[in-house]
Amino acid sequence: VRYFLGGTVVDPQGQPLDSVKVQVIDESERVVGQTVTPRSGTFGIYSVRPNRDYTILVERPGYFTKREPFSTVGVEIPE
């Protein structure tokens, strides 16, 4: 079983943003996955494990930086 974190980065008007660096950081502040969004603004990172706490760091230089915690603790994938 592999966990997957995916989404779309958009501007305040809801338009997708390209060239946004998306990083998943573990509890030890180690980057465990990263990607850069294409024109569609989408991203997907597979380096997420069950029962762990993470931070997602999303940044586009000169535009914005956003850091949010998320967790896979207690999340189960149905069989």
Side-chain angles (χ1 to χ4, degrees):
V1 173
R2 293 178 71 182
Y3 283 70
F4 175 81
L5 175 67
T8 303
V9 181
V10 296
D11 67 15
Q13 290 74 39
Q15 297 301 309
L17 288 173
D18 67 341
S19 305
V20 177
K21 183 163 73 170
V22 180
Q23 295 181 314
V24 174
I25 302 165
D26 69 12
E27 294 172 308
S28 302
E29 290 296 311
R30 186 175 62 97
V31 175
V32 296
Q34 69 178 15
T35 190
V36 175
T37 61
R39 289 178 53 188
S40 63
T42 58
F43 67 91
I45 297 174
Y46 283 97
S47 303
V48 181
R49 303 192 51 123
N51 297 312
R52 306 273 169 82
D53 292 318
Y54 294 98
T55 298
I56 184 168
L57 176 62
V58 182
E59 59 186 337
R60 186 174 183 192
Y63 192 69
F64 73 93
T65 298
K66 184 162 180 123
R67 186 179 180 105
E68 290 287 329
F70 75 95
S71 180
T72 60
V73 175
V75 177
E76 294 184 27
I77 297 176
E79 294 187 30

